[in-house]
Amino acid sequence: METADTTTANVDITTAKENMDRLVGSEPATFNDPQSFKTLLVMQTQLDAFVTKVANQFDTWGEWCDSGCRTPASWVSVETRVPRKDAGRLIKRGRALSQLPECAAALARGEINAAHVDRIMRAWNPRTKDALIRDEHILVEQAKTLDFPAFCRAVDYWEQMADPDGTEEAAEAKRARRDVYLVPSIDGMYFGRMTLDPISGAIFSNELERLAEGLFEEDWKEARARLGFDPTVNDLSRTPAQRRADAAREMATRSATAPEHGRRPAPLFSVLIDSESFCGRTCELAQG
């Protein structure tokens, strides 16, 4: 028998569906200005936040069991045909937000997004639980004000303080996951994948981007000479992906032809300290 609450919910979701249909059926060019597009992105985040909350309720009430699925993630994967990994991430995020009210509120307002929540979730473990509950508002504020790479570094620093033993173990585990493979296909093309630890990745990425930037400048000059005016990126002879591929080839070529006694780059390493020590040392340096 249908309850009054269920009836209300059906009416609400029907109205929401009708509004959504009107929106997606409208002309996209109507919303192509920066402010409208930003508003749409915020709306997307807010809808994702609501769906995540509903996913937690769906998980808790357990009606997915009636379908014969063993887990709510399995139900989501079967019903929507999304990868099981993505379905599991949705359910896990819903459970986490029930424990992280500051994250849930900021996500619902569209001030942060799911990527921020997932990064904070990875910092949650039995050793950091109390500290994360205490400092959640700080991490959320960082998520709202920093660009994403800087935010990730801020969470890394927080983890170093909250769980120093765990971060050491995590660093070793990350390095152990490093791997590279490159295999030829039937038609002679090569396909591969690369997973590098943070330090190795930074060394490789910095050099790759440096060479790719040089190739971009070459392409820009060539296009300007060919056209007689400043080109756009669509006028360049190579795409960013092609320039990165050529940069990687150049790295290998230079390695093969490097002088026998050439000098290796200076070693790269990471140092994590707490904010008080950093600020204190900065003040000392500023005062000579």
Side-chain angles (χ1 to χ4, degrees), residues 23-87:
L23 177 63
V24 300
S26 59
E27 174 56 49
T30 307
F31 307 99
N32 64 5
D33 63 281
Q35 186 57 49
S36 294
F37 184 54
K38 182 177 180 181
T39 300
L40 286 173
L41 293 174
V42 172
M43 290 168 58
Q44 181 182 35
T45 298
Q46 291 178 300
L47 179 59
D48 287 343
F50 184 71
V51 171
T52 302
K53 289 182 179 180
V54 175
N56 185 51
Q57 292 292 313
F58 182 72
D59 174 25
T60 302
W61 285 96
E63 291 188 26
W64 47 268
C65 296
D66 298 340
S67 66
C69 292
R70 300 182 62 181
T71 66
S74 296
W75 186 94
V76 172
S77 182
V78 169
E79 292 295 323
T80 63
R81 297 171 298 285
V82 302
R84 175 67 181 275
K85 178 176 67 174
D86 294 341

Side-chain angles (χ1 to χ4, degrees), residues 84-114:
R84 175 67 181 275
K85 178 176 67 174
D86 294 341
R89 188 179 295 116
L90 172 63
I91 299 300
K92 184 178 180 181
R93 191 181 300 131
R95 294 170 181 171
L97 286 181
S98 67
Q99 303 291 320
L100 298 170
E102 296 282 349
C103 285
L107 187 65
R109 292 190 296 267
E111 296 172 339
I112 65 175
N113 57 54

Side-chain angles (χ1 to χ4, degrees), residues 141-154:
E141 192 61 32
Q142 297 294 318
K144 290 161 57 176
T145 56
L146 299 176
D147 62 51
F148 194 74
F151 164 71
C152 289
R153 289 193 295 271

Side-chain angles (χ1 to χ4, degrees), residues 38-266:
K38 182 177 180 181
T39 300
L40 286 173
L41 293 174
V42 172
M43 290 168 58
Q44 181 182 35
T45 298
Q46 291 178 300
L47 179 59
D48 287 343
F50 184 71
V51 171
T52 302
K53 289 182 179 180
V54 175
N56 185 51
Q57 292 292 313
F58 182 72
D59 174 25
T60 302
W61 285 96
E63 291 188 26
W64 47 268
C65 296
D66 298 340
S67 66
C69 292
R70 300 182 62 181
T71 66
S74 296
W75 186 94
V76 172
S77 182
V78 169
E79 292 295 323
T80 63
R81 297 171 298 285
V82 302
R84 175 67 181 275
K85 178 176 67 174
D86 294 341
R89 188 179 295 116
L90 172 63
I91 299 300
K92 184 178 180 181
R93 191 181 300 131
R95 294 170 181 171
L97 286 181
S98 67
Q99 303 291 320
L100 298 170
E102 296 282 349
C103 285
L107 187 65
R109 292 190 296 267
E111 296 172 339
I112 65 175
N113 57 54
H116 294 108
V117 175
D118 290 347
R119 180 61 191 92
I120 293 175
M121 281 168 49
R122 291 199 296 274
W124 179 291
N125 63 56
R127 298 183 301 274
T128 63
K129 177 180 178 181
D130 292 341
L132 187 53
I133 291 174
R134 180 196 66 208
D135 296 337
E136 181 191 359
H137 67 287
I138 297 175
L139 297 180
V140 169
E141 192 61 32
Q142 297 294 318
K144 290 161 57 176
T145 56
L146 299 176
D147 62 51
F148 194 74
F151 164 71
C152 289
R153 289 193 295 271
V155 180
D156 289 341
Y157 296 153
W158 181 88
E159 284 188 287
Q160 176 69 14
M161 296 301 299
D163 186 19
D165 294 335
T167 50
E168 288 295 330
E169 294 172 3
E172 289 300 319
K174 287 179 180 178
R175 180 165 172 75
R177 294 203 307 271
R178 69 192 187 280
D179 73 86
V180 174
Y181 76 81
L182 187 66
V183 295
S185 65
I186 296 176
D187 63 355
M189 295 294 288
Y190 279 76
F191 297 90
R193 188 188 71 183
M194 177 183 299
T195 303
L196 298 176
D197 60 89
I199 292 179
S200 299
I203 293 172
F204 187 90
S205 177
N206 289 343
E207 182 62 10
L208 184 71
E209 291 302 319
R210 186 183 72 83
L211 294 177
E213 181 63 25
L215 297 178
F216 173 81
E217 293 176 1
E218 291 178 9
D219 289 352
W220 186 272
K221 291 178 181 178
E222 183 277 329
R224 186 174 185 180
R226 170 167 43 86
L227 299 172
F229 52 83
D230 285 342
T232 67
V233 291
N234 294 326
D235 297 318
L236 304 185
S237 59
R238 288 177 286 195
T239 66
Q242 290 170 336
R243 283 192 291 272
R244 288 193 296 272
D246 292 346
R249 181 188 63 188
E250 179 65 17
M251 289 170 65
T253 301
R254 293 185 183 187
S255 175
T257 59
E260 181 179 355
H261 301 294
R263 183 177 180 181
R264 293 176 62 83

